[in-house]
Amino acid sequence: MAIPEEHDLRVRPRAAWYCVTAVLWGVGLVLFAFAVVEIAHVVNGGVDRAVNHADVTVPGNGLTVYTTDPDSVASCVLTHGSGHPVPLDTLGFTMEISVNGPTYYAVGVTPHSLAAGSYRLDCRDVRPGAEFGFGPRVDVKTLATRVIWGILLPLALGLIGLVTLIVVVVKRHNAKSRIRSMRAYAVAGHAQASPSHPGATSISAAPPPPPPPPPR
């Protein structure tokens, strides 16, 4: 039997393919961390109590107005001095936050164009007993982007990395099994082609003596 060539004894795919899985998982973790930081910024900012028909201070990066009414249909406006009232932008989805206190539900966020300053908060269609609060502005586009890039994409990368890992492990296992079989066959063929004891001399039995001549 022919001895296997050196390239036939290489395990394929190479072990470097494990790095592909590591890179995919690493990128996914980084993107997920960015999403967690964005969400933590909103949560850690907390919710400060606000009073309807009273002044609130709007920072340069804006704010989000909340209410404790889970079924609120309230609409709120902010008025600076004697200027025109500016309605809040609605989020388009339900957002709730609870940090060491009651659960608040987002009513709306200040527009991007709203300048920092002191404004009067006026909300209508408010359920009796509902409380108001405000916290850091939630950027809907940024939040949606974080959800896509920080949650959905890491899940996809993690799945691709897992599939890659399984394929590499299975193929390398099969390749190692094939190489072991090739080596075993090569050793067996070499043993059959060679004498069992090199240098040994074969001894044959001596022929029997001739029969005695007949008596005369």
Side-chain angles (χ1 to χ4, degrees), residues 129-145:
E131 299 178 1
F132 285 88
F134 62 91
R137 186 182 190 280
V138 177
D139 192 321
V140 179
K141 292 183 179 180
T142 301
L143 186 61
T145 302

Side-chain angles (χ1 to χ4, degrees), residues 67-78:
T67 180
T68 55
D69 182 7
D71 302 316
S72 175
V73 292
S75 58
C76 301
V77 296
L78 294 172

Side-chain angles (χ1 to χ4, degrees), residues 3-215:
I3 299 177
E5 298 292 338
E6 182 65 25
H7 62 80
D8 293 332
L9 301 179
R10 295 175 183 174
V11 179
R12 304 284 186 175
R14 295 181 179 274
W17 274 93
Y18 290 125
C19 296
V20 175
T21 297
V23 170
L24 291 174
W25 286 354
V27 173
L29 287 175
V30 171
L31 294 175
F32 180 74
F34 280 129
V36 171
V37 170
E38 184 70 21
I39 296 174
H41 169 71
V42 177
V43 175
N44 292 335
V47 177
D48 297 324
R49 287 287 303 275
V51 179
N52 196 13
H53 308 304
D55 291 341
V56 295
T57 300
V58 178
N61 56 355
L63 53 77
T64 301
V65 175
Y66 297 91
T67 180
T68 55
D69 182 7
D71 302 316
S72 175
V73 292
S75 58
C76 301
V77 296
L78 294 172
T79 307
H80 181 63
S82 58
H84 297 286
V86 178
L88 297 179
D89 293 338
T90 57
L91 295 178
F93 59 90
T94 302
M95 175 181 173
E96 62 182 74
I97 181 172
S98 178
V99 183
N100 299 327
T103 301
Y104 284 92
Y105 303 86
V107 176
V109 298
T110 55
H112 279 290
S113 58
L114 187 67
S118 178
Y119 292 82
R120 177 182 172 86
L121 174 66
D122 292 296
C123 297
R124 62 182 183 179
D125 298 329
V126 180
R127 189 182 68 176
E131 299 178 1
F132 285 88
F134 62 91
R137 186 182 190 280
V138 177
D139 192 321
V140 179
K141 292 183 179 180
T142 301
L143 186 61
T145 302
R146 293 299 187 202
V147 169
I148 294 174
W149 291 96
I151 297 179
L152 300 182
L153 184 57
L155 287 176
L157 293 177
L159 181 60
I160 295 173
L162 179 61
V163 172
T164 302
L165 178 62
I166 293 174
V167 170
V168 172
V169 169
V170 171
K171 285 193 172 185
R172 284 180 60 84
H173 174 75
N174 293 339
K176 290 178 181 179
S177 299
R178 177 181 57 82
I179 291 173
R180 283 194 294 266
S181 299
M182 292 174 63
R183 285 175 174 170
Y185 288 141
V187 171
H190 182 70
Q192 292 176 1
S194 303
S196 301
H197 301 283
T201 304
S202 59
I203 301 176
S204 58

